[in-house]
Amino acid sequence: MSTTSHYVDVLVPLAAAGRDVGGVICEIRAAFTDRAAEARGGFDPAIVPLLDIKLAGAGQRALDIVRRLPLPKRRFGLPMRLTRPSSPNTVMTPLDSRQARGLDPRNASSAELGLALSLCLLERGRKPGVFFATGSLEGSDCDSVHPNDGPVGPVEGLSQKFEAVTTWLERHKVGPWGKHATLFVPARTVDGSLTVEAYREEIERARTRAAAIGVELTVTPLRSLAEGARHLGAVKPRFDAKEGMMRAGVLAVLGFVAFMAAALQPVELSPGKIDYFLGPLPTPTVLRASVADEKGAKTFRPVPPCTTKTGLSLVQFEDYVSVNIETSQTMLPKSLFSAVFVVIGEKSQPKIFEPKQALNTEADAGATPIRKVNGRLSFGAAFPVQPPEEEMKIVALSRQLGGFNTNRLDQGVRETFENAPQETRLNAQARWLANIRGSYIEIPFEAIAPDNQRVVRCES
């Protein structure tokens, strides 16, 4: 079985042939592989896996047009080749063949744009990506677009496809697109109208629904494949081995600069699992301490979750909020990574803890120092909840290559607390902390008295 390294996923919205409603998303992966398929049925080995879902014709057309796209001739005054570099094996594979049920020649051509863009990004891009795309690739001049630039032609069923994209985002909520998703469409419809004008209401409805789940959906009309490649930053030709050796010195310097630039970039933070002797627990978990034994030692046990209608955790006084934060993969060792917790509220003064400090406090029920596993860093702590009743947040900040000045951090967040009215105090502190250089994540909860009726109802 072949293995893939660098890859690009394209999500192709397909209208159900012969129907006025509905639509599906077909996931196709373009990847470099160590073992290409053999040519079959007159199709290039790269797109043979698409035969089973009736997209081989669209894949072959996409491949042919990508190979005709012009390459830049000069870069920084240095002459560049006029032909393409030798490439590793490329393969285009459906991630789930069931998604392409019902495909026929009437709708398969609308996948050509997406397949071609994924090949462009694979061959020319700097990093993996994922996007939505629908559109055909016409062979003749269209709207003054040169044939070699791959004119994008109109497709049927755009209403179904907008609905399919929106439903897909709502169903998955979180994906490789992050907070921004892009849908490429033809610039014009089948009757020659501008797509963004003819489908203004559908586009606005799709954006609104995507925004409701925290995704900014951008609908980008394209006149040509070359224009789409520029949008994706896939315009630079890839060097082959000879050129790589000739410019090894320059690349070494650039590689060091890139390493430093990446090291200074914030890493993504996300809630992680909390180690517990009976099994991992989610972040956040509410812990309750037992009565201290004769030596003053306490044990901690998780309590059943009690939440508001919006999912906000209700935490009783004297309980602990335990969290564990995990980073995305980073090349740096944990010794060059800094993190800090800030506990903020509407009424109580903010409190700042470093992971090593939190480990030495009585809040050490589940606290962990910074550790690295499989290229990811994680750190956590448990924080005691005290009166008064209020909405609160545990904010975790992290930074590579440079620590936090906790005195300045404490002074800044306290000044923000004191200067903001109570009704906006919590968000004011959160906004101030979010502007600190580095990465940011917040865990919201509500401190509540044990005799509060909401707790009584929750425990009854």
Side-chain angles (χ1 to χ4, degrees):
M1 181 176 179
S2 63
T3 58
T4 58
S5 52
H6 186 74
Y7 67 88
V8 175
D9 289 342
V10 58
L11 305 174
V12 180
L14 297 170
R19 295 171 54 188
D20 295 328
V21 295
V24 297
I25 297 294
C26 186
E27 298 174 275
I28 305 294
R29 172 166 294 177
F32 291 146
T33 178
D34 59 5
R35 188 185 308 163
E38 296 182 0
R40 181 156 56 96
F43 293 106
D44 190 286
I47 48 88
V48 164
L50 299 182
L51 274 168
D52 294 337
I53 62 169
K54 302 179 182 178
L55 278 184
Q60 187 67 58
R61 184 167 183 76
L63 189 64
D64 292 342
I65 293 178
V66 167
R67 287 171 174 168
R68 291 205 306 263
L69 283 179
L71 290 173
K73 294 184 175 62
R74 289 187 174 272
R75 186 66 174 170
F76 300 120
L78 296 176
M80 303 285 282
R81 65 163 52 82
L82 300 181
T83 58
R84 298 180 182 280
S86 56
S87 299
N89 292 325
T90 300
V91 65
M92 303 194 73
T93 309
L95 297 187
D96 186 348
S97 59
R98 294 171 297 180
Q99 297 170 337
R101 288 175 180 170
L103 267 177
D104 64 24
R106 287 178 292 173
N107 55 13
S109 62
S110 65
E112 292 171 357
L113 174 62
L115 298 178
L117 285 173
S118 66
L119 287 169
C120 284
L121 197 56
L122 180 72
E123 285 286 343
R124 302 173 170 196
R126 296 300 182 186
K127 59 182 179 181
V130 61
F131 52 91
F132 299 86
T134 181
S136 63
L137 296 176
E138 297 186 352
S140 60
D141 194 342
C142 176
D143 287 343
S144 301
V145 175
H146 193 280
N148 285 348
D149 285 342
V152 175
V155 293
E156 299 278 3
L158 279 176
S159 294
Q160 297 182 52
K161 294 171 183 179
F162 288 132
E163 176 66 24
V165 170
T166 310
T167 302
W168 180 274
L169 291 174
E170 289 175 333
R171 183 178 299 140
H172 291 79
K173 290 185 174 61
V174 178
W177 48 81
K179 296 181 179 179
H180 304 278
T182 299
L183 167 60
F184 293 107
V185 298
R188 294 191 178 274
T189 64
V190 291
D191 62 3
S193 302
L194 293 175
T195 300
V196 293
E197 295 293 338
Y199 291 88
R200 183 181 299 276
E201 292 184 5
E202 287 93 335
I203 292 172
E204 188 58 36
R205 185 160 50 247
R207 286 173 174 166
T208 301
R209 288 170 59 184
I213 58 172
V215 177
E216 181 183 352
L217 176 62
T218 301
V219 178
T220 302
L222 296 180
R223 297 170 61 246
S224 70
L225 176 61
E227 184 180 355
R230 288 193 295 271
H231 273 285
L232 292 171
V235 295
K236 300 177 183 178
R238 193 168 41 81
F239 294 139
D240 62 14
K242 290 183 179 180
E243 288 186 346
M245 293 181 63
M246 289 172 57
R247 302 176 186 183
V250 174
L251 291 178
V253 173
L254 294 178
F256 176 76
V257 172
F259 171 84
M260 294 302 296
L264 291 173
Q265 290 295 315
V267 292
E268 182 180 350
L269 300 180
S270 59
K273 296 295 184 181
I274 301 168
D275 291 333
Y276 189 64
F277 71 95
L278 292 179
L281 299 172
T283 290
T285 288
V286 179
L287 301 176
R288 186 162 294 166
S290 65
V291 178
D293 60 21
E294 58 185 14
K295 295 182 180 180
K298 295 181 180 180
T299 57
F300 299 85
R301 63 179 177 85
V303 298
C306 182
T307 60
T308 65
K309 292 181 179 179
T310 59
L312 191 67
S313 296
L314 296 176
V315 186
Q316 300 180 39
F317 300 156
E318 306 303 331
D319 284 347
Y320 292 76
V321 182
S322 183
V323 301
N324 190 64
I325 307 302
E326 186 178 82
T327 75
S328 56
Q329 289 192 341
T330 175
M331 64 186 75
L332 294 183
K334 64 181 182 180
S335 59
L336 297 179
F337 180 84
S338 299
V340 67
F341 289 108
V342 186
V343 183
I344 57 177
E346 293 179 328
K347 303 173 184 178
S348 55
Q349 290 280 339
K351 301 176 181 65
I352 297 180
F353 301 93
E354 293 183 275
K356 62 181 180 181
Q357 291 175 322
L359 186 64
N360 294 326
T361 68
E362 64 178 0
D364 61 357
T368 58
I370 298 174
R371 62 189 188 276
K372 190 169 188 178
V373 180
N374 297 327
R376 301 178 185 273
L377 295 164
S378 65
F379 56 96
F383 303 91
V385 174
Q386 303 293 342
E389 290 189 331
E390 60 178 330
E391 287 194 19
M392 305 187 72
K393 292 181 180 181
I394 297 172
V395 174
L397 304 175
S398 71
R399 183 183 292 171
Q400 299 185 109
L401 293 182
F404 292 94
N405 187 320
T406 54
N407 291 331
R408 291 182 182 175
L409 198 62
D410 182 70
Q411 180 182 356
V413 72
R414 284 181 182 274
E415 289 178 355
T416 304
F417 172 87
E418 293 166 358
N419 294 332
Q422 182 174 317
E423 61 271 16
T424 63
R425 189 175 287 158
L426 184 61
N427 286 335
Q429 296 173 87
R431 283 196 303 270
W432 189 88
L433 291 168
N435 288 325
I436 302 296
R437 182 180 70 83
S439 303
Y440 170 100
I441 191 174
E442 60 180 44
I443 307 296
F445 66 96
E446 184 175 342
I448 194 168
D451 59 355
N452 189 293
Q453 286 303 307
R454 288 189 292 170
V455 173
V456 174
R457 287 195 298 269
C458 200
E459 294 184 343
S460 61

